[in-house]
Amino acid sequence: MKYLLIAVTTYFLSFATMASDAVEYRTELTFSLESSALNAVTEMQIPKKYRNSGTVALFLNKDLSVESVEGPHIENFEVRQSKKVPIWNEVIIEFSSPTKANNQTVRIKYAGSIDNNAEHGNFITSNQVHLSIDSAWHTVFSDFSTPITGTVTVELDDDWEVFGPGKVTGSGNKYQVNSTDPTIDVSLYAVKKPTSIYSDGFTVVYDDVNDERAEFVSNAGHQCFEQMNQRFGKQKQLKAAQAILLERPGPSFARGNYISLNSQTLGSKVHTHQYLCHEIAHNWTNFTSAMSHDYWMIESFAEYISAREVIRIYGEEEFQNIVKKWQARAKGEAFVWREDTDLRASHKVNYGLGPIALMKLQEKLGETDFNELIDWYMTSDVTETEALITKVGTLAGADTESWFTALLAGRNSE
């Protein structure tokens, strides 16, 4: 089970998209902590493109029971095992007639227990709650590429604190996580009397087991936070970011300014530092679909930018160790991007062949022009590889543009 979930989450561990493409949710969430159970009422927008087909499918944990699905023009709903991800269920909502409205709201009420021992990294205990898509606790679109924004309101005692993407506010025993940057799921961490380190906008919340690791994560995260803001923050300042450092199963992941780390898989200090920089860099990337053949850009740029931070802090030798990992990962991959295919690139491209292509492009362009290209990509609305290729031509001429196009397509190895 663990490995299937991790494989599924490689599709969307971290990405940002344009807000105009996102749909909204509003969720009310309560817990029965002693039984690891939750009760949720979610209102979600259903885009017209789904309603026109007559049905929409939403993922949900197989251990959660759906009490009701309500809304205009809903004919029926059915809960059945997903063929795409068999360890989850799908809530199939059938609409009786199409409507002209772009979005239509449905209200879904469900409840059940989270299996704390399922090794997906999600749990509900008497003093901690950690939730993400890895347990499918919240309804999300089964296409894996419909981004959502919204709010989740959590009821807990007033000695708890809640962390999540976006902005978190609290009043009495109610906490609200307001996520304005589109993402694929609803993630949060809640803890009773948290232990944390704060450093000029970057916060690390950690459990007792990670007392010694927390200071390094705080220093590394703050360095990345400060450096990325200094370089890319002229148009958009990242006001705050947070890392949740826990000894738990499941993958590490990031959603905007919220990073959840599994301390058991952190690796070396250099690896941890690069990972934090990679995830913080994603706060400036802008993309429309995690399933597009242009998706390589968002991951490869973040990977290469974070590796350049490794050079700055740890030196050339550590950077070359990263390059060796890229080369090993890229084996067997024929190309990064081609105009004649719309298939999403594998992780071997996104985290291997793609950053190698950017490294070769830096050597071709030189430091000054390449830095200009990086700044342009990270602060502009760049969603298609054609735009990147055109920018290379603007900076260095038609010959270099043709060379880069061939490099991405696997037609040269220079």
Side-chain angles (χ1 to χ4, degrees):
M1 180 183 295
K2 174 176 68 174
Y3 300 106
L4 179 55
L5 280 166
I6 292 173
V8 168
T9 57
T10 60
Y11 283 112
F12 42 72
L13 282 178
S14 177
F15 73 95
T17 69
M18 291 188 290
S20 60
D21 294 329
V23 297
E24 294 183 2
Y25 66 85
R26 293 187 301 275
T27 298
E28 300 283 337
L29 184 61
T30 59
F31 298 104
S32 299
L33 300 174
E34 298 77 13
S35 55
S36 301
L38 61 83
N39 289 270
V41 178
T42 293
E43 293 185 352
M44 288 189 71
Q45 290 181 347
I46 306 298
K48 186 178 180 180
K49 63 179 181 179
Y50 293 118
R51 303 197 312 275
N52 285 344
S53 68
T55 62
V56 63
L58 304 173
F59 283 134
L60 192 63
N61 188 309
K62 63 181 177 59
D63 294 326
L64 302 179
S65 298
V66 179
E67 181 178 316
S68 61
V69 178
E70 300 173 342
H73 307 288
I74 292 178
E75 181 76 18
N76 194 15
F77 77 92
E78 177 187 359
V79 180
R80 64 189 184 207
Q81 184 181 29
S82 170
K83 293 181 180 179
K84 188 180 293 185
V85 187
I87 57 172
W88 294 346
N89 281 339
E90 289 182 9
V91 182
I92 312 295
I93 305 172
E94 181 182 348
F95 294 92
S96 58
S97 61
T99 62
K100 293 182 180 180
N102 288 332
N103 291 298
Q104 181 175 305
T105 300
V106 301
R107 186 176 187 270
I108 307 169
K109 187 175 183 180
Y110 59 94
S113 296
I114 295 292
D115 184 354
N116 294 344
N117 299 313
E119 298 192 319
H120 45 47
N122 285 197
F123 50 80
I124 299 172
T125 71
S126 60
N127 58 5
Q128 289 185 97
V129 173
H130 185 257
L131 296 173
S132 72
I133 199 171
D134 291 306
S135 66
W137 79 272
H138 191 280
T139 48
V140 297
F141 293 87
S142 65
D143 61 2
F144 284 140
S145 61
T146 299
I148 55 178
T149 63
T151 59
V152 55
T153 302
V154 183
E155 283 192 28
L156 287 163
D157 290 341
D158 56 13
D159 57 349
W160 285 65
E161 193 166 345
V162 177
F163 304 87
K167 183 178 180 181
V168 180
T169 57
S171 178
N173 68 339
K174 286 197 174 183
Y175 306 82
Q176 187 174 87
V177 181
N178 183 9
S179 181
T180 56
D181 288 331
T183 185
I184 194 64
D185 73 333
V186 183
S187 302
L188 62 89
Y189 175 64
V191 60
K192 198 173 187 178
K193 298 178 181 178
T195 305
S196 63
I197 302 173
Y198 176 80
S199 179
D200 295 330
F202 189 81
T203 302
V204 179
V205 184
Y206 59 95
D207 54 17
D208 294 342
V209 180
N210 286 294
D211 188 57
E212 294 183 3
R213 294 187 185 93
E215 186 174 353
F216 172 77
V217 171
S218 174
N219 291 335
H222 178 256
Q223 276 186 298
C224 296
F225 175 81
E226 194 173 56
Q227 181 69 13
M228 298 297 168
N229 257 329
Q230 182 178 338
R231 183 164 184 186
F232 307 125
K234 292 179 182 179
Q235 294 180 343
K236 174 190 172 184
Q237 279 283 318
L238 182 60
K239 295 181 180 179
Q242 57 203 286
I244 309 302
L245 180 62
L246 306 175
E247 186 179 84
R248 59 169 178 81
S252 297
F253 63 88
R255 304 288 185 263
N257 66 340
Y258 170 84
I259 305 169
S260 181
L261 300 172
N262 173 1
S263 63
Q264 299 177 92
T265 59
L266 280 184
S268 68
K269 288 185 175 181
V270 173
H271 175 269
T272 301
H273 201 126
Q274 187 197 0
Y275 181 83
L276 289 165
C277 289
H278 177 115
E279 298 303 348
I280 290 172
H282 275 315
N283 285 276
W284 284 271
T285 51
N286 194 2
F287 210 78
T288 54
S289 173
M291 294 303 166
S292 166
H293 69 152
D294 295 308
Y295 185 71
W296 75 272
M297 288 191 298
I298 186 173
E299 294 298 351
S300 295
F301 268 92
E303 184 72 4
Y304 194 63
I305 288 167
S306 61
R308 280 162 60 100
E309 280 298 291
V310 168
I311 295 180
R312 189 176 70 85
I313 297 166
Y314 298 97
E316 179 68 24
E317 183 177 351
E318 291 292 353
F319 172 74
Q320 290 303 324
N321 288 337
I322 293 172
V323 173
K324 290 176 184 177
K325 292 177 181 177
W326 290 342
Q327 292 169 338
R329 203 172 288 146
K331 283 184 179 179
E333 294 298 316
F335 65 93
V336 175
W337 177 90
R338 288 196 325 226
E339 187 178 8
D340 60 350
T341 178
D342 58 2
L343 293 176
R344 183 188 191 274
S346 75
H347 73 282
K348 293 182 178 182
V349 170
N350 298 336
Y351 306 100
L353 197 58
I356 288 173
L358 294 179
M359 181 177 65
K360 292 178 178 179
L361 180 61
Q362 180 182 357
E363 294 168 357
K364 190 82 168 179
L365 291 179
E367 192 73 19
T368 300
D369 283 349
F370 187 76
N371 283 337
E372 183 177 339
L373 181 74
I374 290 283
D375 291 344
W376 166 82
Y377 173 78
M378 296 293 284
T379 59
S380 304
D381 179 17
V382 185
T383 61
E384 295 179 347
T385 304
E386 287 94 336
L388 175 65
I389 292 171
T390 299
K391 182 66 175 179
V392 169
T394 301
L395 289 170
D399 288 346
T400 301
E401 180 179 336
S402 296
W403 169 87
F404 185 54
T405 303
L407 178 68
L408 293 179
R411 293 198 298 267
N412 68 43
S413 57
E414 297 177 17

